[in-house]
Amino acid sequence: MKLNIGLDQDTLKQVNELLNALLADQHVLYIKTRKYHWNVSGPSFLEYHEFFEKQYTQLEAAIDEVAERIRTLGGRPVSTMEDFLKLTSLKEDKSDEIKTPDMFKRLLDDHEQSIRELREDVSKCEELEDAGTADFLTNLMEDHEKMAWMLRKYLS
Ligand SMILES: [Fe+2]
């Protein structure tokens, strides 16, 4: 059944493509944060272990929101690891040994990249006159800005 919400098919297609690319990035970032939750060590182990858990829990919630936004707009969320890896602009962390400060730095870089991409996505949605998705992505960008701030604090 076609949506009759004031956005044409082409607009919906473009917005859903942009949301699926975001969904792919979020999965890579989620897995990377979880990897660090599992592998962090040292005197502040428990603090960092719990910090990463807080962040991946937040990312998990965001993933669900994005997928359901796609469904709301009549699209189909990408749902396989293969497709996530094809669509993402982030890189997986395949290394075995990672120093703790590097964990923070790599996550910070990914969040900052996500923020820059989200900022562009917000502008694109505004151009397409999809106020709902522009607002949704603005809120998400603010969440990433806060997560990035916390990661930055550990590095300063
Ligand atoms: Fe755990």
Side-chain angles (χ1 to χ4, degrees):
M1 201 172 175
K2 270 191 187 158
L3 274 73
N4 185 14
I5 59 171
L7 298 172
D8 62 33
Q9 287 307 302
D10 182 56
T11 297
L12 289 168
K13 186 171 172 279
Q14 286 187 62
V15 171
N16 282 324
E17 275 172 12
L18 158 171
L19 288 169
N20 262 323
L22 170 65
L23 189 63
D25 285 347
Q26 287 183 320
H27 274 86
V28 172
L29 193 45
Y30 170 82
I31 292 293
K32 198 178 288 182
T33 309
R34 245 196 132 143
K35 174 175 182 158
Y36 299 162
H37 165 76
W38 291 327
N39 289 292
V40 72
S41 59
S44 302
F45 163 76
L46 193 59
E47 188 194 344
Y48 293 163
H49 181 69
E50 287 175 352
F51 173 77
F52 290 138
E53 179 168 356
K54 252 185 214 152
Q55 290 216 330
Y56 78 64
T57 302
Q58 210 178 329
L59 287 166
E60 187 193 6
I63 282 171
D64 208 51
E65 294 289 326
V66 172
E68 288 174 12
R69 178 86 201 150
I70 295 169
R71 294 304 285 149
T72 301
L73 297 178
R76 200 166 279 284
V78 159
S79 315
T80 67
M81 300 308 290
E82 197 180 342
D83 287 336
F84 291 141
L85 289 174
K86 232 181 269 171
L87 282 180
T88 187
S89 58
L90 301 179
K91 294 249 180 306
E92 288 200 288
D93 185 351
K94 296 182 181 174
S95 52
D96 289 329
E97 295 290 332
I98 321 139
K99 292 201 178 95
T100 303
D102 290 338
M103 294 180 177
F104 284 90
K105 182 71 176 75
R106 287 176 199 186
L107 291 177
L108 176 60
D109 287 346
D110 282 0
H111 278 282
E112 288 190 334
Q113 185 176 327
S114 298
I115 292 161
R116 293 193 301 274
E117 287 173 9
L118 278 160
R119 201 178 297 287
E120 282 174 19
D121 290 346
V122 168
S123 299
K124 190 162 182 201
C125 289
E126 283 166 352
E127 276 165 33
L128 292 167
E129 297 181 349
D130 180 354
T133 305
D135 179 60
F136 171 77
L137 294 177
T138 301
N139 288 324
L140 192 59
M141 186 179 72
E142 287 169 22
D143 292 343
H144 280 276
E145 283 173 339
K146 190 161 185 183
M147 284 189 270
W149 163 60
M150 291 190 177
L151 290 160
R152 212 176 284 120
K153 279 291 148 197
Y154 277 97
L155 291 164
S156 59

